[in-house]
Amino acid sequence: VSFSRLILIALILWLGWMGPLPLFAETLNSPLQPISGPPIAALADWEQQRSVLQNQFQAEIYGWLPQQPRVTGHFLHSAQLSGFPARFEEHVVLFWWGKSLLRRIHLLILAPIQATPSKAAVMFLNKCGNHTLLKTSELPRYLPLYQNLCPAEMRERGWQSDYWSIAQPLLAGLTLISLHESEIAPDDPVNFAESLSALPEQIFKPGSRPGLIAAWAWGLRGVRDYLETLPEFQDKKIGLFGHSRRGKAALLATALDPRFDFVIPHQTGTLGAAALRLHPAESLASITTFFPHWFTPALAQRWPESLSIDQHELLALVAPRPLLIDEGQKDFWASPALSLATLNAALPVYRLYGFNFAQGLQSWLPEQPSQTLFEQRVAHVLTADAHTMNRGYWQAIVAFLRAQKIL
Ligand code: GCU
């Protein structure tokens, strides 16, 4: 093959890849358009369509969430955190199926100490244990269940203290709830398959087996059941935050469960907030090859156009609740521009609920004094960061929740 031919082939491939980009939302169908029949114009019809979409996402992409377990739990202890205007509580949450104990989860609640009770709580999964959020020796420390997934340095107290920067949200009056992801399901194909097959067969719905993202969403919903039993959460809004793979799970859990009052999918990319049909940097083939245990196994044989849903419809399932998508300009893999396009394609459903977005949504750059963007029900924040979490994002989250009158 001659050099000029190679250039021509490369150009064609590049155009094929880039082609849909300028068209953005035009390439995504409206979530209000069912596969057959007229577009949805009434909220009652959307409610019906909502459950159709919820089923499709589980059947085709994530697998069916296991059935809700019976959930119990108890308070272990509580203390004030020195040097922080907050106290922590430790609880144990138990998932049961009949008499079998399925899961035992250590729940950390960090509650700001302030004159009036905090109005909102954000729950999130952490990678290697609750004690990794803060350097203090006051937090209880447990050995991770799967030590191969958390090498020695990741098990240290405060290993992720800069990343989580929890002083920032606590000072703003936000309650934080965190749990170690492996206590729900481990992020590794072999251990995950084992932990799933240890569950009783009757807990699975027939059809698509759940992957890790669905399993995590199942766990977050179970913990939500437990929070319902605690008086301190009766009047609080409870939303989910999740970074990357954990954000994919936070988004799925919120799309499926109306009891989550808001969601902040943080740098979630492919099969999070970036639509597959917009050709994200991480393709469907790539994500299912490198992370075969994240989704229902049959997804690996599909291509984006063969699926009946795409991620803008998952975002639309969050409506009418507040939705803040966080991205970093240097996080090419998570496709920040595509999550904005995907979000714009979800807006018809928010509009149906009466929210207005005059000229479509732009990203909010922290250096811009554009508070009005945050007064909208959904927002897309774009910082100069790479793939990470930090204090700056909390500032944006707090500003957004305040504008929504949640905080
Ligand atoms: C990988 C994966 C992403 C995922 C990310 C993360 O980069 O390709 O899909 O979001 O890990 O979880 O940090």
Side-chain angles (χ1 to χ4, degrees), residues 243-246 248 268 270 282 287 291 294 333 387:
H243 183 199
S244 220
R245 63 197 75 184
R246 300 160 197 92
K248 301 183 213 277
T268 55
T270 299
E282 182 179 23
I287 200 169
F291 305 98
W294 281 6
W333 196 233
H387 196 64

Side-chain angles (χ1 to χ4, degrees), residues 26-41:
E26 277 86 345
T27 65
L28 298 174
N29 61 301
S30 164
L32 295 175
Q33 180 59 62
I35 291 182
S36 59
I40 290 164

Side-chain angles (χ1 to χ4, degrees), residues 41-195:
L43 272 179
D45 297 333
W46 165 250
E47 292 304 334
Q48 242 182 330
Q49 174 69 355
R50 174 195 292 277
S51 53
V52 172
L53 292 174
Q54 286 172 330
N55 290 346
Q56 283 167 333
F57 275 106
Q58 291 178 89
E60 297 181 32
I61 294 183
Y62 301 99
W64 294 97
L65 264 62
Q67 295 186 53
Q68 287 290 100
R70 183 167 61 84
V71 177
T72 64
H74 49 267
F75 167 81
L76 282 184
H77 69 287
S78 156
Q80 179 155 359
L81 280 172
S82 39
F84 272 93
R87 80 193 154 72
F88 74 87
E89 285 177 23
E90 198 199 357
H91 295 246
V92 169
V93 183
L94 304 171
F95 287 10
W96 301 90
W97 190 258
K99 290 207 169 85
S100 353
L101 178 62
L102 308 181
R103 292 290 182 269
R104 185 185 161 83
I105 297 162
H106 295 94
L107 199 65
L108 175 69
I109 300 177
L110 294 158
I113 298 176
Q114 51 183 24
T116 50
S118 133
K119 283 162 61 185
V122 177
M123 174 151 73
F124 50 88
L125 298 174
N126 62 65
K127 186 170 165 58
C128 286
N130 297 338
H131 66 282
T132 61
L133 267 56
L134 258 187
K135 288 214 166 74
T136 172
S137 59
E138 291 155 318
L139 292 183
R141 176 171 184 244
Y142 300 95
L143 272 186
L145 287 180
Y146 300 88
Q147 302 209 17
N148 55 324
L149 300 180
C150 293
E153 74 277 9
M154 295 187 184
R155 285 182 231 150
E156 292 298 313
R157 289 187 178 281
W159 165 60
Q160 284 199 313
S161 57
D162 289 341
Y163 173 97
W164 285 115
S165 299
I166 59 165
Q168 184 86 23
L170 287 172
L171 283 168
L174 195 55
T175 295
L176 305 177
I177 305 167
S178 194
L179 55 144
H180 174 30
E181 62 192 28
S182 297
E183 293 190 338
I184 300 177
D187 184 6
D188 158 83
V190 175
N191 292 316
F192 177 68
E194 276 168 15
S195 90

Side-chain angles (χ1 to χ4, degrees), residues 13 28 74 139 175 181 196 198 206 228 277 279 349 352 377:
L13 287 176
L28 298 174
H74 49 267
L139 292 183
T175 295
E181 62 192 28
L196 207 66
E228 230 143 86
R277 281 175 223 171
H279 298 244
V349 179
L352 191 65
R377 198 63 163 178

